Every structure is written in structure tokens, then in C-alpha cells.
Amino acid sequence: MKTKHQSLLLATLVIALISITTLLYMVRTPRVLEAHELASPLKADNRNYTAITFNTEYWHHSESELIGAFNDYAYDFILLQEHLEKTQTGYTSTNRIAALEAVVGNYFVSANGEVVTVSRYPSMLQKNFGDGTAMRTDYQLAEDGILSIYNVHIPVHLHLDLLSTPAEFVKDLYNLTDVRQSLKSEIIADIENNDNNILVAGDFNTTVSMNTVNWFRKNMTDAYSAPNCTNRYGTWSLGDVISWRIDYVFLSPTINPESYCTIDLPDISDHKAIASVFYIGE
């Protein structure tokens, strides 16, 4: 059995490792570019489609403000994560959906806990994963078969804002490792048995140097590789100094990314949104 001194020592070593890793990223990660206007709105046309993914950061603004931020992008799909009701004592997922449905017009809303997908198309199938942190919805496209969209929010590595003792630090680190791995494995298993065209997007709380996104980068196409990219550095910032890419859009090999850009919405969230235009097939 570990003594209290051993637990404290282990926690200290983990904190030191995290600090060193952070310093290394500060050296090697590009500085955040100033947000700028896009050359032209991301309009989908013909058989092109537009998807936007965005972590709304414990939602406490209006749904009208949120949808208004995307009005220039002619979206086909909006994927939201951390879309939780903020209260005086915490957060609850019960709920912003009615308010969202009231402002999206003829769009369709699917939700599982904190993940929400808004679509031009009605969902043919909804499959939930995790504790309200991931969801698959299938859509019949007019000319391009069925598109399965996986809306994903991999939990953080640590709840630093909730920890008060070294023992809680170590326990949280241990437990969340299992939660992250379990959710990722569940999603991958479903993808491997899914013959549809597939888009996976959301907040992975992981940089490209970590193994959480390795399978997706190896077996799918990262929309970041699109030939037309705008303002693409980072999706989450630590103040104004550094920016990590922890939000992603991955596409099955049958889907081709045409453009990718990050959209800076600092008045809404500490995450940037990612907008991607893609087309299916030849």
C-alpha cells in the first residue's frame, strides 16, 4: 500500500512532467494568428457539403447568437460539444435543445447529453456513446448515399479546477485515462463495422503528438490537409500566447476535403470553430 508520502511524491512528479511538456509546446507551437475575414464565406454548392464543429464551452449565451455566428457559412451540419446549461451550482444537460430548435428553422436537431448535431437532413439513425459525450447520426443524402456523422467530445485528462489534494490528482488522472480510452475504443469499433461514408468531428482534448488521434489520422483523412485552408493554426488557446489543435474533422477515404478553416469566436467560447467543405466520391 502506498504511503501518503509516496502519493505526494508521485503527484509532484506528474505535475513536473506536465509543466515540462507545456514548456516544450510553448517553444515548438506556432503563435496564434490574428483572426481575419475569410476571403469568401464557405458556401456549399452542388454536391459539396459544409460541416462546422464547435465546443461551446459550458453554454451561457443565447442560441440565436450561436446560430447567427454561422449564418455566412451555409452549413449542412453543425456539431456542438459541451452544450450544457450553466447554472449557479454547476452544469446540466437538461437543456438548451428547445431553445436551439426554436432558432434553427427547418433544420433538424439530434442530441445526446452535451453533444448536439444540427442538420439540413433528418436523422435516419441515432446511436449514443459514452456518458452523453459522443453520438452517431446517419443521414440520407440526395445523391451521395448515407453519411454517418460522429460527434465526439473526448473528456479532458484532468479536472484541474476540481482537484484539491495530491491524492485526488492521482485518482482523477487514473480514472479519466480509462474513460478516454473506453470512449475512443467504442467509437472506433463502430466505425470499423460501418460501411457508410463517415465524418468524425469534435473536441478530442488531444494534440497530434498524443496517441488518442493516431488511429483516426492513420485510417481516415484529416480535413486539415485540404488544399484550401484559412487561419488554420490551433483551435484552443492558452491566453494569447500559444494555440493547440485539439478539435478535428476526420473523413473516410471516400470523402475529399476541399477547404478547412478555423473561425475565431472569442466572445462565445475559448475554442475556435472548424468549418470544412467536402465532397463525396469522384
Side-chain angles (χ1 to χ4, degrees), residues 85-198:
E85 177 75 30
K86 187 175 183 180
T87 67
Q88 292 182 342
T89 58
Y91 306 94
T92 174
S93 59
T94 60
N95 217 331
R96 310 292 297 241
I97 302 305
L100 186 62
E101 289 176 333
V103 299
V104 296
N106 294 325
Y107 287 74
F108 300 91
V109 178
S110 301
N112 175 34
E114 57 148 299
V115 292
V116 181
T117 301
V118 181
S119 169
R120 289 186 186 276
Y121 308 89
S123 172
M124 315 168 44
L125 176 148
Q126 177 174 330
K127 189 172 183 179
N128 299 332
F129 304 95
D131 185 18
T133 51
M135 173 179 63
R136 166 187 167 183
T137 44
D138 286 3
Y139 303 95
Q140 177 67 59
L141 305 181
E143 300 182 56
D144 294 301
I146 297 174
L147 176 65
S148 294
I149 290 187
Y150 293 80
N151 189 345
V152 178
H153 187 190
I154 303 291
V156 294
H157 297 81
L158 280 170
H159 295 115
L160 290 173
D161 56 333
L162 301 178
L163 304 177
S164 58
T165 67
E168 288 178 351
F169 181 98
V170 174
K171 182 179 179 181
D172 199 50
L173 183 65
Y174 179 82
N175 290 340
L176 284 172
T177 298
D178 286 345
V179 172
R180 287 171 58 87
Q181 181 60 43
S182 175
L183 180 59
K184 183 187 75 170
S185 298
E186 196 175 355
I187 293 168
I188 290 174
D190 195 80
I191 292 173
E192 290 180 326
N193 288 284
N194 186 348
D195 294 328
N196 299 331
N197 299 309
I198 293 172

Side-chain angles (χ1 to χ4, degrees), residues 34-108:
E34 290 294 325
H36 57 278
E37 292 296 323
L38 300 177
S40 61
L42 285 175
K43 299 292 187 183
D45 54 32
N46 298 326
R47 293 172 64 181
N48 286 3
Y49 304 92
T50 299
I52 296 175
T53 182
F54 185 45
N55 181 314
T56 59
E57 192 196 6
Y58 293 133
W59 192 236
H60 54 281
H61 301 274
S62 74
E63 273 64 24
S64 295
E65 178 185 1
L66 173 67
I67 297 303
F70 298 134
N71 276 347
D72 288 337
Y73 300 95
Y75 58 84
D76 291 296
F77 306 98
I78 289 183
L79 286 71
L80 307 176
Q81 304 88 42
E82 216 167 278
H83 199 70
L84 303 173
E85 177 75 30
K86 187 175 183 180
T87 67
Q88 292 182 342
T89 58
Y91 306 94
T92 174
S93 59
T94 60
N95 217 331
R96 310 292 297 241
I97 302 305
L100 186 62
E101 289 176 333
V103 299
V104 296
N106 294 325
Y107 287 74
F108 300 91

